[in-house]
Amino acid sequence: MSPLNDGLAKIACRETFVRAKSGIPPNTWNLSVMATATRLALVRSLSPLRQLRGGERVARALVPQMAGEEIVVENDGIKITCDLSSYIEWQIATLKGYETRQKQIFLSVIPQHRRRNLLDIGANIGGHSLTFARFFDKVIAFEPNPEIFSRLQGNITRNSGLNIDPMPMGLADRADTLVFYQPPAGCGGQGVGSFDPDFAPNNAIEVRLPVARGDDVVKDQGLNPVDAIKIDVQGFEPQVLMGLADTIAQDKPIIWAEFSESTLRGLQASGSRMSQILAGYRMYKFAPALKFGLIHRVKLEPCDGIHSSEEADYLFLPPDVDKLMRAASL
């Protein structure tokens, strides 16, 4: 069977093609389903081309982001439900992954003896948690948005055997109930909600959701040691880091964090506090690059410190891991 037909068969036979959210009877949308499935199978069969300049535009022309359509795809043995109106989930469905290279780099710098507990803060539908759970003894996935959390649970259930503990809450510098700015229903990208008012999406719905202090959760759940942390919380990263200050000081986890413009303002407002929390860490930026002006790459670039950073994803390495990585690169 050709790669295209094989891909199409997987989409059709494993319930991995479009399911209408609108409730329209299936016999009225079969042609649309098959057209979407055929284009999706084609794009997925050519997914390595996503690394080429302009490759994503071609994929988007063939399979555009579409409101009201969900699919279930299988990437490297991981099954995950995707909403094609979400940019992140569209990438998972069509290009077989989101932040694939960043995840590879993150995992490559973590020694085998440091792969016990990982905190995925802002887990969304589980795209990162499901990957990490194949390499760590346990992943604790935090997601406060109720709609997204239910989908996270569904994706975990689809992948039995992975030790992921989903927790329906956010993390902050204190236990509280905070206003969460949730995207309106029908808006693509439900995962971009935030506790940060500066990051509120257009026409956001304000709901009050629980947050906990990370150090308290680690202690209550008996999660020591925490070997790695991934944080993507739409501008709320400073509060999360401050709430994990004791864990960071004790366990020295590898940290992957997204810094937006709002995050940077929060870091500046924290003064020396953040520098104290991350004392001894070496900071690297996930820097995009073009090889030969044609092939997309991601590489690590060393940074001077958090107060000289810019909007990007960053990797923070404790001294022992940084020493190993630098020695390996010689």
Side-chain angles (χ1 to χ4, degrees), residues 86-235:
S86 160
Y87 173 71
I88 291 176
E89 297 175 48
W90 176 88
Q91 288 218 347
I92 294 172
T94 59
L95 304 181
K96 294 187 177 182
Y98 175 69
E99 294 187 335
T100 301
R101 181 55 183 153
Q102 289 89 331
K103 284 187 283 189
Q104 291 171 345
I105 293 172
F106 179 64
L107 290 168
S108 73
V109 303
I110 302 175
Q112 288 295 329
H113 68 278
R114 273 178 160 267
R115 296 190 175 189
R116 290 157 293 189
N117 296 311
L118 178 143
L119 310 183
D120 186 359
I121 305 162
N124 205 309
I125 64 167
H128 288 63
S129 288
L130 292 166
T131 298
F132 295 153
R134 301 173 79 175
F135 299 90
F136 283 80
D137 294 339
K138 185 173 185 178
V139 171
I140 302 86
F142 298 88
E143 177 52 54
N145 186 332
E147 180 175 337
I148 296 297
F149 182 78
S150 66
R151 297 184 59 213
L152 169 65
Q153 287 181 302
N155 285 325
I156 293 172
T157 300
R158 284 186 179 276
N159 296 273
S160 59
L162 297 180
N163 192 5
I164 304 176
D165 188 2
M167 304 198 73
M169 64 177 69
L171 294 187
D173 54 351
R174 66 188 188 279
D176 205 342
T177 302
L178 302 179
V179 174
F180 183 82
Y181 301 91
Q182 184 173 349
C187 170
Q190 284 290 311
V192 299
S194 177
F195 289 107
D196 181 356
D198 291 339
F199 226 100
N202 293 331
N203 303 314
I205 299 170
E206 297 185 13
V207 295
R208 299 192 71 85
L209 298 176
V211 294
R213 183 171 171 263
D215 287 331
D216 295 337
V217 175
V218 169
K219 181 179 179 180
D220 293 344
Q221 298 292 321
L223 297 176
N224 295 104
V226 173
D227 289 313
I229 301 172
K230 189 276 286 180
I231 310 172
D232 185 355
V233 288
Q234 312 298 323

Side-chain angles (χ1 to χ4, degrees), residues 45-93:
S45 71
L46 300 174
S47 62
L49 297 180
R50 69 182 182 272
Q51 297 180 356
L52 294 180
R53 188 174 185 178
E56 184 176 323
R57 288 198 300 272
V58 174
R60 193 172 297 282
L62 289 169
V63 183
Q65 288 182 228
M66 294 172 285
E69 294 190 347
E70 280 190 357
I71 61 171
V72 181
V73 295
E74 182 173 335
N75 298 333
D76 297 325
I78 294 174
K79 300 180 183 71
I80 187 165
T81 306
C82 299
D83 177 350
L84 290 183
S85 66
S86 160
Y87 173 71
I88 291 176
E89 297 175 48
W90 176 88
Q91 288 218 347
I92 294 172

Side-chain angles (χ1 to χ4, degrees), residues 25 37 43 114 126 133 153 246 265 297 318:
V43 171
R114 273 178 160 267
Q153 287 181 302
D246 293 344
R265 288 196 296 269
R297 290 284 186 263

